[in-house]
Amino acid sequence: MAAPAQPKKIVAPTVSQINAEFVTQLACKYWAPHIKKKSPFDIKVIEEIYEKEIVQSRFAIRKIMLLEFSQYLENYLWMNYSPEVSSKAYLMSICCMVNEKFRENVPAWETFKKKPDHFPFFFKCILKAALAENDGEFSLHEQTVLLLFLDHCFNSLEVDLIRSQVQQLISLPMWMGLQPARLELELKKTPKLRKFWNLIKKNDEKMDPEAREQAYQERRFLSQLIQKFISVLKSVPLSEPVTMDKVHYCERFIELVIDLEALLPTRRWFNTILDDSHLLVHCYLSNLVHREEDGHLFSQLLDMLKFYTGFEINDQTGNALTENEMTTIHYDRITSLQRAAFAHFPELYDFALSNVAEVDTRESLVKFFGPLSSNTLHQVASYLCLLPTLPKNEDTTFDKEFLLELLVSRHERRISQIQQLNQMPLYPTEKIIWDENIVPTEYYSGEGCLALPKLNLQFLTLHDYLLRNFNLFRLESTYEIRQDIEDSVSRMKPWQSEYGGVVFGGWARMAQPIVAFTVVEVAKPNIGENWPTRVRADVTINLNVRDHIKDEWEGLRKHDVCFLITVRPTKPYGTKFDRRRPFIEQVGLVYVRGCEIQGMLDDKGRVIEDGPEPRPNLRGESRTFRVFLDPNQYQQDMTNTIQNGAEDVYETFNIIMRRKPKENNFKAVLETIRNLMNTDCVVPDWLHDIILGYGDPSSAHYSKMPNQIATLDFNDTFLSIEHLKASFPGHNVKVTVDDPALQIPPFRITFPVRSGKGKKRKDADEDEDTEEAKTLIVEPHVIPNRGPYPYNQPKRNTIQFTHTQIEAIRAGMQPGLTMVVGPPGTGKTDVAVQIISNIYHNFPEQRTLIVTHSNQALNQLFEKIMALDIDERHLLRLGHGEEELETEKDFSRYGRVNYVLARRIELLEEVKRLQKSLGVPGDASYTCETAGYFFLYQVMSRWEEYISKVKNKGSTLPDVMEISTFFPFHEYFANAPQPIFKGRSYEEDMEIAEGCFRHIKKIFTQLEEFRASELLRSGLDRSKYLLVKEAKIIAMTCTHAALKRHDLVKLGFKYDNILMEEAAQILEIETFIPLLLQNPQDGFSRLKRWIMIGDHHQLPPVIKNMAFQKYSNMEQSLFTRFVRVGVPTVDLDAQGRARASLCNLYNWRYKNLGNLPHVQLLPEFSTANAGLLYDFQLINVEDFQGVGESEPNPYFYQNLGEAEYVVALFMYMCLLGYPADRISILTTYNGQKHLIRDIINRRCGNNPLIGRPNKVTTVDRFQGQQNDYILLSLVRTRAVGHLRDVRRLVVAMSRARLGLYIFARVSLFQNCFELTPAFSQLTARPLHLHIIPTEPFPTTRKNGERPSHEVQIIKNMPQMANFVYNMYMHLIQTTHHYHQTFLQLPPAMVEEGEESQSQETELEAEEEAMLIQADDIPSPPDVSCSQETLASRPDSTPNQTETTASQTGANSRPETVTASVPGAVTIPVKATTPQDATSAPTKTN
């Protein structure tokens, strides 16, 4: 197998290179935003830049990056564009800039929206240029750029400006491009289209000739473009050299066509044009397909196109076609061909009279049609309206090969898509894992196209939606698997032994050599399938390793996925492995197959089952695992062995590799998606079109739902009637009671419900209607008394919600889709919890499912839910995160089972006490059943008798004293606060009596619910019962839902509402799966509400591979897609986390984000940050010792100067008195995070005066968290890097509550267009750190006030390091002096001699510790730093979280690289060698 070539990485230019560039000089003269006096517009500048910088460099990305980054498009190109100055260079420059913006994943159309006047003219010029002759004005390379631009246009249909231009190319009139016979056939199929077609013709006649010609040009554009492509394709030779420009043009064209086919609005009419052009036939017969290297990607793209052209959908209606309908279409095609053959072609009689199943395979069609002449084949095709009629006595111009392929490919039987999917192996093999077109390396630059599906706005059908997600999820997992295999296998150092075998020179924690491998079972296939139902094998390995690693291998559980690998190394013993060279060549990797663990075998060869019983102790080091192989893969391999004589893969394996359980759930998720595609996946009708991206995006909003609820009980949402009135501005609030004393919560509100559809009313009625629509009827009600004990009182909400939060809560209570956009600090979780509580009280019979992205978010939700009035027996938490809950209560399945059992015993004790108080003999508290009879015959009878005595007897006024006198349960309630009855009024005492009875009744209601736990004996059965019947609020992470869908559906799990937190951080498919965790009822989903709460302006889901993230748009969450489509959102608009000044750094990204009153009023927000002049500051950090950023490994960026500066500021703040846990240090790269941690460990980590910050982590990992003071290092000095993603900037700016200090290269970041709103505020303040060293923490100075102490300006990092050193030494000397004075005090001042001694000992110990630590504080001036300080970590990749020792095989103690920094101080820096840090794989006792 050929090893893939390593792609080159694009190196970003440095600031100095940027400044030296010709482009930068021009920018400074003509368009740079920071230049005040700019030269006037000159068209020659554009021509010169295009020729010299773009064309001469062959469209080098580096040059285009520079231009785009300098704001060339925004400030020069589009700003000055008009038809008069339009030229080839102008058009191409704009296209290059737009394409670059898409490559960088930044908004591209904003500039055009601001100045849309000339866009139609510009777009027409592009269309004309795209059809220009190859050797004409536009080169093929330039036309490839134009194709990419058009592709971006077709994929941006949500932008009105683009849609208005593109629509003309893809609407019904484009059928002008069809041949007349085909057009007639299509119009006959759908009669209503003929009506539209005649209308189009009439309108055309009314147009003036010039406009008509222009319209015809646009309608025929795609047909002509296809013809142009076919001519380019035909010019590719079979074996002679070919220019890559032609290959790239063909690839980009197929990509464009795939994108047109994969969207319903573009596909609807285009699919017929495509079919009529026979593009696929031309492509499959082309030379390019047969060129192995050049045509590889083209062939893969072609297979994707073939899939979409034959997609199972009705193009006109957009409805998915069933398998039966597809079969009918196939039969219709074959029978129409047979009829034609019978009527007109006597030589095809045999074909015409055969049954369909006999003639619809490729072989039989070739057998029947192969012998025919070219002319006859042309006549058959023209009879079917596939080709124009052949004139008499003329020969066809088409090749026989083309004509035959046209007829055969059109009529051969196709395997259905679901069958293809079911036959697909789930585990990736070596062919996919190292195929750069399908799974690109981390170096993907975004230049070329890939054979990958894309996730855009719309999908054809649910099947298409699931399939694209299935493929991308599978490939993203494959990328991670590739990294793990490369890491583990290279650690094992496979070399060729002297005798030609394999010898392993190293070892890996996650992989072991296989001693023996045998396939032990191949089960028979199911009926109608040709693959075995089950294939099992035994793998034996020798675990001569350390005990903890042995435990990890023995701890492999059922369903864990492992990989079986065959290596045949060709390198001799002792050859060094080079990570930069292709991996496969070096290790000689031949095969990779996946398997799933069933269990480890005991001494007798039986599988050891997981369970409560202890595992048997096995002797020796040899262990055998039974594994399940993939039946589909096994069948394919065996077929290949038998038919082609290939070797048996399953006799060659010599390595087994395991993976970390957390990263190893891909197979379960893929199986879940595949099962969904095989079931009749029923999405609620009101959601179906929105999920696919069609129809009215607001159709699922509660205001348009037919089952909108008029009256809702808001329970404890409002704190007072004033709060309620303030929550509905613009509404007229009518309260049903006039007495202000009775206008207290809880409130029921009746909303005016408009009927969705109705006839238009007259104007007079409309005024009444609007008045009525604004009136709310509010009814205060009293919660019935729950009993005399203090714990009977309901828990109350204490948050004063804002009116937008109330709107979100109201929308969440109504049926339909609710989307809440929650900017940082706006109380998303509080809103979510209140919605859950209100649904729980309004609809007690309904069940709500809570889904979040992380366990941390789920735990935060749960902690707040427990503070509200929700009975804890109705709460259940699934998954592995429940142990992190900060509570003694256990909400996991088994925790709830134990709670039920314990609660049952408590309640039966209460029954026993009640029985005793009533003097009833017998044992009523024996079981829940006996307690039920006791309640029915003893308690109810007494209560009914009591009610008959005290209730209102007609005319006579009831006696208050009777209520207490006749009350039968006095003795039972003797332990409640006395007196139970107040004797003030009949109503009050009667309510108390009923409350007491409610308390008793609740005991028996709960016991009735717990009765099932007496009947079900095992913990598993009890937990299932709780999940399916008892729990009303069930919480899980999206990953758990994806993994366990099969089990939940099988159990009969049911729910009515879904609430998703962090919805913008969840992958599209992981958001969709929770909608389908239950079986439909009578063919309908019972889902009533879907509430999504998230923030698409913060970071999206983490996708490790850049190609899937950028090219396939896999990082787009469903939440973000809904916002793009236009689904209505409730935008929370008041934050209560940060100072108003800090909020200004990111509130420009949101609609009207303001501040809650307490942000201005509370002292902590109005007081200044002690010792610092500003509450936020951008501090410029220049190169330190000539070095800015460094990159010891790909994407592992570090910046020593910034790291030292950040740590110095942290130490300064701690020395002033700031608590270390209120400060967090963030950075934008993993490399810098490791460097900062190392510096902290060396400088101050164990120092009692300073300590460690709360967290040192990356911005991405800190999303969803906050701290009072944030120190942020932006690291980069050459290119802005991934901070250019505004979402990352928003997260970075919004983590701080009181102080934000950013360390960065200002000259780089201030030029970035996307970051301008934040950086213009940051650069308005001084760029050197301003400190007030004599101001201690906390200060009384108000924020913004001039300080009374002296302000010191710090110019650079060495100055700050020296300053902190001097400050620390001064502090130690002061402490030392204080210590000496304290010891010389006269005895009379110390009350107890012993106490004096103990204090003396403490002071001595503390002083000693501080003096020891003083050695680690940077001492002054010897500033000499060597370059090799910068840490390196080979195992890191972009966006990747830290690689733990268990993955890399390294011991947790990193190697130390030292560096001298201000003051000859050593910094330990992490570095990992390719070898494991652990000494050897020997076993230790």
Side-chain angles (χ1 to χ4, degrees), residues 1324-1342:
R1325 293 187 173 183
L1327 301 176
H1328 289 129
L1329 181 63
H1330 285 49
I1331 60 173
I1332 312 163
T1334 50
E1335 184 178 53
F1337 176 90
T1339 180
T1340 52
R1341 174 170 62 94
K1342 292 289 174 211

Side-chain angles (χ1 to χ4, degrees), residues 1048-1064:
L1048 291 169
V1049 170
K1050 202 170 161 189
L1051 276 176
F1053 180 53
K1054 295 272 185 283
Y1055 53 95
D1056 304 270
N1057 315 299
I1058 296 180
L1059 182 135
M1060 286 185 183
E1061 251 267 48
E1062 301 181 315

Side-chain angles (χ1 to χ4, degrees), residues 123 153-154 157 162-171 266:
F123 194 74
C153 290
F154 282 115
L157 292 180
I162 307 297
R163 190 172 61 249
S164 62
Q165 297 306 311
V166 166
Q167 258 174 346
Q168 298 159 18
L169 308 181
I170 47 162
S171 49
T266 52

Side-chain angles (χ1 to χ4, degrees), residues 710 718 724-725 727-736 748-752 771-779 810:
F718 301 105
L724 185 148
K725 286 176 179 172
S727 300
F728 294 103
H731 283 77
N732 179 16
V733 176
K734 280 187 184 169
V735 188
T736 53
R748 268 193 210 96
I749 304 182
T750 303
F751 296 94
E771 185 59 39
E772 208 176 285
K774 299 254 170 133
T775 303
L776 307 179
I777 295 158
V778 176
E779 179 196 348
R810 172 191 175 183

Side-chain angles (χ1 to χ4, degrees), residues 64-234:
I64 295 175
M65 265 168 85
L66 269 178
L67 275 167
E68 192 276 320
F69 188 69
S70 71
Q71 303 185 26
Y72 185 39
L73 176 68
E74 293 86 354
N75 294 348
Y76 203 68
L77 286 176
W78 192 248
M79 190 193 228
N80 298 302
Y81 182 80
S82 66
E84 294 76 50
V85 292
S86 184
S87 66
K88 171 191 162 182
Y90 215 141
L91 292 177
M92 291 304 304
S93 300
I94 292 174
C95 288
C96 288
M97 293 306 105
V98 171
N99 291 350
E100 175 60 15
K101 281 190 180 293
F102 273 96
R103 192 188 74 82
E104 291 265 4
N105 240 6
V106 293
W109 304 116
E110 302 305 313
T111 315
F112 299 95
K113 285 188 209 165
K114 286 175 191 163
K115 190 171 174 267
D117 306 347
H118 298 307
F119 191 79
F121 177 82
F122 165 73
F123 194 74
K124 287 179 177 65
C125 293
I126 296 290
L127 299 183
K128 196 173 172 189
L131 293 174
E133 290 302 313
N134 298 347
D135 47 0
E137 194 185 348
F138 288 83
S139 70
L140 210 52
H141 193 135
E142 288 170 327
Q143 291 191 326
T144 309
V145 171
L146 295 175
L147 281 184
L148 183 55
F149 176 81
L150 286 171
D151 192 24
H152 292 319
C153 290
F154 282 115
N155 281 317
S156 304
L157 292 180
E158 79 274 23
V159 182
D160 297 341
L161 179 69
I162 307 297
R163 190 172 61 249
S164 62
Q165 297 306 311
V166 166
Q167 258 174 346
Q168 298 159 18
L169 308 181
I170 47 162
S171 49
L172 176 60
M174 76 183 300
W175 276 8
M176 283 183 75
L178 293 174
Q179 43 161 319
R182 180 68 188 267
L183 176 62
E184 195 54 39
L185 181 74
E186 293 298 329
L187 293 177
K188 204 182 282 180
K189 272 189 210 166
T190 324
K192 68 172 182 180
L193 288 183
R194 190 177 293 281
K195 203 164 104 184
F196 290 131
W197 192 254
N198 293 336
L199 200 64
I200 290 165
K201 277 163 84 181
K202 264 187 196 170
N203 290 338
D204 286 353
E205 284 162 16
K206 292 175 190 169
M207 292 165 106
D208 62 82
E210 199 178 320
R212 192 183 313 138
E213 188 53 40
Q214 176 66 45
Y216 285 2
Q217 280 294 319
E218 285 174 3
R219 291 170 193 177
R220 290 204 175 98
F221 170 73
L222 285 168
S223 308
Q224 290 171 335
L225 195 62
I226 290 172
Q227 295 312 315
K228 177 181 167 57
F229 160 75
I230 291 172
S231 68
V232 173
L233 183 67
K234 284 182 174 172

Side-chain angles (χ1 to χ4, degrees), residues 528-545:
E529 293 175 356
N530 62 353
W531 59 91
T533 47
R534 183 172 64 244
V535 182
R536 293 194 296 173
D538 285 354
V539 187
T540 306
I541 56 175
N542 196 5
L543 290 178
N544 181 20
V545 289

Side-chain angles (χ1 to χ4, degrees), residues 1139 1167-1172 1174-1175 1218 1269 1298-1299 1301 1335 1339 1341:
R1139 293 184 197 273
T1167 309
N1169 295 340
L1172 295 154
Y1174 298 105
D1175 52 2
Y1218 284 88
Y1269 307 97
L1298 305 173
Y1301 302 94
E1335 184 178 53
T1339 180
R1341 174 170 62 94

